[in-house]
Amino acid sequence: MRIVRTLFLFVLLLVLLPWLVTPFYRVGHPVSTLMAWRWLTGQAVSRQWVDLGAMSPWLPRAVVASEDAKFCTHHGIDWDALRDVIDDAEGGELARGGSTITQQVAKNLFLWQGRSVVRKALEFPLAMWIDLVLPKRRILEIYLNIAELGPGGQFGAQAGSLFAFGRPASSLSPREAALLAAILPNPVVRSARNPGPGVRRLAGIYIARAQAPGLQRCWVENRGF
């Protein structure tokens, strides 16, 4: 009985830990569970934290344009995109990605990779909690420093930019920023360093979206994230 109680308390602590830790992520340089796993298993990890204000402004714009067009207005979950994913699945179509940047931060910081109903059940409320306790600018800054952006353990904007273009994230051109955005969420299959036709096509789309009036307005209203 004592073992069962101890196990229950341990599981409860694991579930509650992200909720307790998240408010402290207003500062610091958090790492993702994937980064931690690679360290533990002896695999290469390259990550150099870069504050959002030190990045080329084209990178966060391109990533928002590609990953989460309603980032400025939703509260962690894009319910319209989620309904579209459900409709596609019910119609027998391939499911599109409906995860917001905030959901991806929740997954990358606290959960595991792959698709799972259990993971989604944990991810949804966590994303809403993250949106509640962290500013949008900070959420985007964390995402751009923990997202996998290279095929050999490159995480975050700086490592991804250095690997792909040999230059820091601060000096990315609009095209280079869009190419990095285009390789998400699978930088192992897609390459910004040697982009194929599909990646180049996506990059062109994201450059146009990043300059759209709606995103420009979002950028100004949120003081340049």
Side-chain angles (χ1 to χ4, degrees):
M1 193 66 175
R2 180 178 296 178
I3 294 176
V4 173
R5 186 164 57 248
T6 301
L7 182 60
F8 172 77
L9 291 174
F10 178 72
V11 172
L12 182 62
L13 178 61
L14 285 179
V15 172
L16 291 178
L17 189 61
W19 298 79
L20 300 174
V21 169
T22 298
F24 295 99
Y25 281 166
R26 282 178 168 265
V27 296
H29 301 164
V31 300
S32 70
T33 54
L34 182 56
M35 292 167 65
W37 176 251
R38 289 182 67 94
W39 275 321
L40 288 172
T41 55
Q43 299 177 73
V45 174
S46 176
R47 199 281 291 271
Q48 300 163 265
W49 184 278
V50 179
D51 292 341
L52 194 63
M55 297 179 193
S56 163
W58 286 104
L59 182 60
R61 294 188 192 193
V63 169
V64 169
S66 67
E67 295 286 286
D68 189 358
K70 295 183 180 178
F71 178 70
C72 293
T73 56
H74 66 62
H75 297 290
I77 308 292
D78 184 345
W79 298 108
D80 292 333
L82 182 60
R83 278 191 290 269
D84 289 342
V85 169
I86 294 172
D87 290 343
D88 286 350
E90 289 178 346
E93 298 179 28
L94 291 175
R96 295 172 292 176
S99 293
T100 64
I101 286 173
T102 316
Q103 285 177 258
Q104 293 180 61
V105 167
K107 178 192 72 176
N108 290 343
L109 285 180
F110 303 119
L111 303 172
W112 59 92
Q113 306 299 309
R115 295 189 177 187
S116 163
V117 174
V118 174
R119 198 206 75 197
K120 280 294 183 184
L122 296 171
E123 178 186 296
F124 274 48
L126 261 178
M128 291 186 283
W129 174 241
I130 289 170
D131 185 84
L132 180 66
V133 300
L134 296 180
K136 292 280 189 182
R137 182 181 177 87
R138 179 60 175 171
I139 293 169
L140 188 55
E141 181 175 72
I142 291 173
Y143 180 67
L144 289 171
N145 278 284
I146 63 174
E148 192 177 10
L149 281 170
Q154 292 84 13
F155 291 85
Q158 186 78 341
S161 179
L162 288 171
F163 174 80
F165 311 115
R167 65 177 68 192
S170 60
S171 61
L172 288 172
S173 68
R175 180 179 180 275
E176 290 167 340
L179 285 171
L180 280 181
I183 68 173
L184 293 167
N186 196 340
V188 176
V189 173
R190 301 176 183 177
S191 174
R193 191 176 192 172
N194 299 298
V199 171
R200 292 197 298 269
R201 180 180 60 81
L202 287 174
I205 293 171
Y206 299 152
I207 289 174
R209 287 183 184 175
Q211 299 177 78
L215 189 56
Q216 296 283 17
R217 184 166 57 253
C218 158
W219 197 269
V220 171
E221 290 173 354
N222 288 277
R223 299 179 183 178
F225 59 70

